[in-house]
Amino acid sequence: MDQRRSDFRNASGPVTLFGEFTLSSNRKARCSVNLTEKDFIIQRLDSAPVSCRKVVLSLRDCVGSQAYRGDDGADPSAYFAAYFYPLKKRRWVKAAPARQRVEQCFRLAALQDPRANLEEAEKWARAVQERSARQQHLRDGALLSSLPRPCRLMLFVNPQSGKGKALTLYNSHIQPMLSEAGVIPTLIITERQNHAREKVREADLSQWDALVIISGDGLLHEVINGLLERADWEEAIRTPLGILPGGSGNALAASVHYYSGVSQVTSEELLVSCGFLLCKGQVSHMDLVSLHLSSNQRLFSFLSLAWGFVADVDVESEKYRHAGAARFTVGTLVRLASLRIYKGRLAYLPASRGSSTDKGLQNGAAACSTPSSAPRPLEDSFPNTCHSNNSLKLRRSEGRCPQSAPKDVHGPPDSLLPPLDQPLPSDWVLVPQEDFVLMLAMFQSHLAEDLLAAPDARLDDGVIHLFYVTAGISRKALLRLFLAMEKGAHLDTNCQQLVHVKVRALRLEPGSGKGVITVDGEVVDYGPIQAEVHRGLGRLISG
Ligand code: ADP
Ligand code: MG
């Protein structure tokens, strides 16, 4: 027995618990089970094929463990099961590894007393749970905050999102996994638009440890704005949120998966990955962006603000919703055929701007190509709205720009934005071009499951990743950009019309006429709009 224990000493650290059981599926299959601080190690003691004689599973991949009695009352044995979701290669050659379920279940029958067997099984289940939680809490020596156990989840399901399969996906993939993790959620099936928003606005949040959605990004947009519409918004927005991809636009879910450092996957593999992260329950801060519309409405966004090509694709592709995430690919091809130019003015505050001295893009702004004429300080332009003297006065005299926020909107005050009809401060940069193909402000990495728009974005980097494409780009070059974006390589395409700038705030004044602006994939009023990032304002369950 000692020999079996010491076999594992070097690989996984000292064995802290050791036992010999049979597999629950095969009573003739005897195994030694070793638990170290990091790993769960099973070694077959019978004449099993060499390939399955020894299995080492990382406790980081474990979502839970349970002990139970068998169905047969006359049988004194007890069982314990541990549930893992390790990354595994898939059969087809090119596919990235994805998380796949591995259940290990053992029968304990050493004693005649059924209670004693059950106690032993419970000791094992507890030991596995505690060690896997410890692995989770301590990463790189830092203590991370996690959801409590048992965990009270309010889980919103949008039955209309994507292909209309969110509930089926929940039942087939998520419900079993949550149950393995000992989490029993309260399900709310949304009945209409803004249903989740109303529920969240009125909920007694002391009853819930987290609010989770299974849908696309639109439903989380409702939940976040619902929280910030509450009188107790400061406390409410600290409620941990979770996202499970069940819509057609699953960009935040793809971003969370990407930040966990695992290769890109889509569809159900992405769902399993996000379900796994939810079970692990690690909570991180997430940036939220405050937006002001010309209608005087204020709202918050966690993902994106789009105008021009991307916004048009967002809206036009609604009719291909049944295609799921592929709707954006189809929409992009259709819109390319009728590519057009959008007139407007765009200004921003660079992320690292410390003083009002303007040095074009080089100050904190990473341009992927230098625009044909460099951006200039606001003094020379926006003749109707921007006037340097006024702007300076606004900034210097008041320090914090006053906001005329609508009555029912809460959230922290914006410190960088003057009211939308007032000139901008002089340390903002005005983009010299007024003919655009698209403007896309990203607050997280992914624009869709398979579009890595801002590869270096992080959940709470406090940065808006502003991209714009000016007129003059060919259809072919634009298509190349979107194809490269699948791997986040669009910034390497040397496209002269594409600019990427890291900013803290921006203002867009689209030209007159009709048009589309989307926020988190949802359409908002068309007209002037401005944004300011609030670093780490929200909290999200992520990896
Ligand atoms: P998708 O990615 O498929 O667009 P979303 O989560 O973005 O999925 O949801 C799309 C829209 O559906 C959102 O505007 C949301 O408010 C709305 N919605 C939520 N529940 C329902 C429902 N039961 N019926 C119709 N629309 C709903
Ligand atoms: Mg959507």
Side-chain angles (χ1 to χ4, degrees):
M1 196 180 284
D2 283 339
Q3 181 54 44
R4 283 176 206 143
R5 272 184 209 234
S6 62
D7 283 350
F8 306 112
R9 199 175 291 267
N10 292 334
S12 313
V15 170
T16 52
L17 199 59
F18 172 82
E20 282 190 16
F21 316 118
T22 57
L23 291 181
S24 67
S25 55
N26 176 3
R27 291 184 185 188
K28 289 193 185 124
R30 283 202 68 74
C31 310
S32 77
V33 182
N34 289 270
L35 195 60
T36 71
E37 210 34 58
K38 286 183 177 163
D39 294 322
F40 186 88
I41 306 155
I42 308 124
Q43 190 158 40
R44 286 286 284 270
L45 302 174
D46 52 20
S47 53
V50 178
S51 62
C52 58
R53 253 184 225 164
K54 183 177 162 188
V55 178
V56 180
L57 290 157
S58 167
L59 289 167
R60 281 199 171 177
D61 295 329
C62 177
V63 296
S65 182
Q66 286 163 7
Y68 53 92
R69 285 284 316 274
D71 293 336
D72 180 359
D75 181 5
S77 53
Y79 298 82
F80 96 87
Y83 309 99
F84 298 84
Y85 286 82
L87 284 166
K88 280 191 174 180
K89 284 221 178 91
R90 284 175 289 165
R91 256 172 263 144
W92 49 101
V93 190
K94 276 199 171 165
R99 292 206 179 270
Q100 289 173 51
R101 183 175 180 277
V102 173
E103 176 183 345
Q104 294 291 345
C105 188
F106 304 94
R107 177 167 175 266
L108 286 72
L111 305 161
Q112 286 305 310
D113 178 4
R115 241 194 357 227
N117 283 331
L118 186 61
E119 274 168 21
E120 183 66 8
E122 282 167 349
K123 182 181 89 184
W124 271 88
R126 241 185 347 264
V128 170
Q129 281 164 19
E130 283 165 8
R131 281 162 185 73
S132 87
R134 272 208 290 279
Q135 283 300 306
Q136 195 62 20
H137 290 182
L138 263 176
R139 179 159 336 139
D140 303 329
L143 204 59
L144 301 163
S145 75
S146 296
L147 291 178
R149 290 298 149 93
C151 180
R152 302 161 304 167
L153 290 190
M154 191 195 285
L155 202 153
F156 292 100
V157 186
N158 177 357
Q160 299 299 329
S161 64
K163 297 177 184 172
K165 296 220 169 84
L167 189 57
T168 313
L169 288 170
Y170 170 78
N171 286 328
S172 57
H173 293 81
I174 301 301
Q175 191 277 331
M177 199 191 263
L178 287 177
S179 144
E180 288 162 3
V183 177
I184 300 165
T186 300
L187 236 55
I188 295 174
I189 315 244
T190 60
E191 290 160 14
R192 57 183 183 281
Q193 193 163 28
N194 285 325
H195 186 191
R197 191 181 193 130
E198 290 155 20
K199 281 270 178 204
V200 163
R201 209 159 42 203
E202 289 147 20
D204 174 3
L205 293 177
S206 69
Q207 299 301 307
W208 304 101
D209 296 310
L211 307 176
V212 179
I213 64 114
I214 177 161
S215 184
D217 298 303
L219 201 62
L220 190 69
H221 179 84
E222 282 191 16
V223 167
I224 287 174
N225 282 284
L227 289 173
L228 285 159
E229 282 159 8
R230 294 168 61 108
D232 65 347
W233 65 268
E234 237 163 320
E235 182 69 27
I237 198 63
R238 288 206 286 268
T239 311
L241 306 174
I243 187 150
L244 297 167
S248 47
N250 301 313
L252 185 65
S255 302
V256 164
H257 170 86
Y258 172 70
Y259 302 146
S260 75
V262 176
S263 324
Q264 182 167 299
V265 292
T266 55
S267 314
E268 290 173 27
E269 276 91 23
L270 180 62
L271 178 65
V272 170
S273 172
C274 291
F276 170 79
L277 294 173
L278 174 63
C279 289
K280 297 305 272 182
Q282 201 170 290
V283 182
S284 306
H285 286 274
M286 171 173 66
D287 291 343
L288 295 179
V289 171
S290 158
L291 292 160
H292 295 262
L293 312 183
S294 54
S295 56
N296 214 16
Q297 190 195 351
R298 185 190 191 197
L299 55 99
F300 282 83
S301 163
F302 60 91
L303 184 71
S304 63
L305 164 65
W307 169 66
F309 189 89
V310 174
D312 285 359
V313 169
D314 235 337
V315 171
E316 289 163 7
S317 68
E318 276 287 330
K319 54 178 172 284
Y320 313 119
R321 172 174 287 280
H322 58 273
R327 90 181 220 208
F328 300 108
T329 315
V330 181
T332 299
L333 293 173
V334 171
R335 180 97 306 255
L336 267 175
S338 49
L339 187 60
R340 53 162 289 214
I341 287 165
Y342 305 82
K343 283 203 172 290
R345 287 183 292 193
L346 177 62
Y348 58 82
L349 181 68
S352 63
R353 171 84 14 123
S355 72
S356 56
T357 332
D358 187 85
K359 293 266 188 331
L361 276 178
Q362 69 205 47
N363 192 358
C368 114
S369 76
T370 313
S372 49
S373 49
R376 47 191 200 254
L378 282 172
E379 284 88 330
D380 334 345
S381 47
F382 272 48
N384 301 327
T385 54
C386 296
H387 190 280
S388 61
N389 288 342
N390 277 350
S391 310
L392 285 170
K393 240 184 261 160
L394 249 171
R395 245 181 114 68
R396 292 196 179 131
S397 61
E398 322 212 10
R400 172 169 284 169
C401 299
Q403 280 302 328
S404 48
K407 282 189 285 293
D408 57 343
V409 174
H410 301 288
D414 293 309
S415 59
L416 304 172
L417 301 174
L420 199 46
D421 57 357
Q422 296 291 307
L424 289 167
S426 64
D427 53 352
W428 284 55
V429 173
L430 174 73
V431 175
Q433 292 89 345
E434 297 195 359
D435 290 338
F436 295 87
V437 165
L438 67 87
M439 189 284 303
L440 174 65
M442 292 296 304
F443 319 139
Q444 299 301 337
S445 62
H446 279 67
L447 177 60
E449 277 185 34
D450 55 0
L451 287 178
L452 176 49
D456 62 343
R458 289 296 172 266
L459 205 53
D460 68 336
D461 57 12
V463 169
I464 295 174
H465 298 259
L466 173 62
F467 298 85
Y468 59 88
V469 173
T470 52
I473 191 169
S474 65
R475 285 190 177 87
K476 203 170 143 195
L478 190 59
L479 178 61
R480 205 180 305 131
L481 272 190
F482 277 94
L483 291 176
M485 201 186 278
E486 283 181 23
K487 300 244 175 319
H490 47 298
L491 294 171
D492 308 328
T493 55
N494 267 334
C495 170
Q496 291 300 304
Q497 291 83 10
L498 170 67
V499 180
H500 171 215
V501 200
K502 294 181 181 180
V503 311
R504 298 241 178 273
L506 65 89
R507 179 184 284 181
L508 171 72
E509 289 187 7
S512 56
K514 282 186 186 160
V516 178
I517 294 177
T518 58
V519 170
D520 301 343
E522 304 289 300
V523 178
V524 298
D525 290 345
Y526 193 68
I529 186 166
Q530 59 182 8
E532 172 177 338
V533 63
H534 289 264
R535 188 171 195 164
L537 176 61
R539 296 178 78 206
L540 188 76
I541 302 165
S542 55

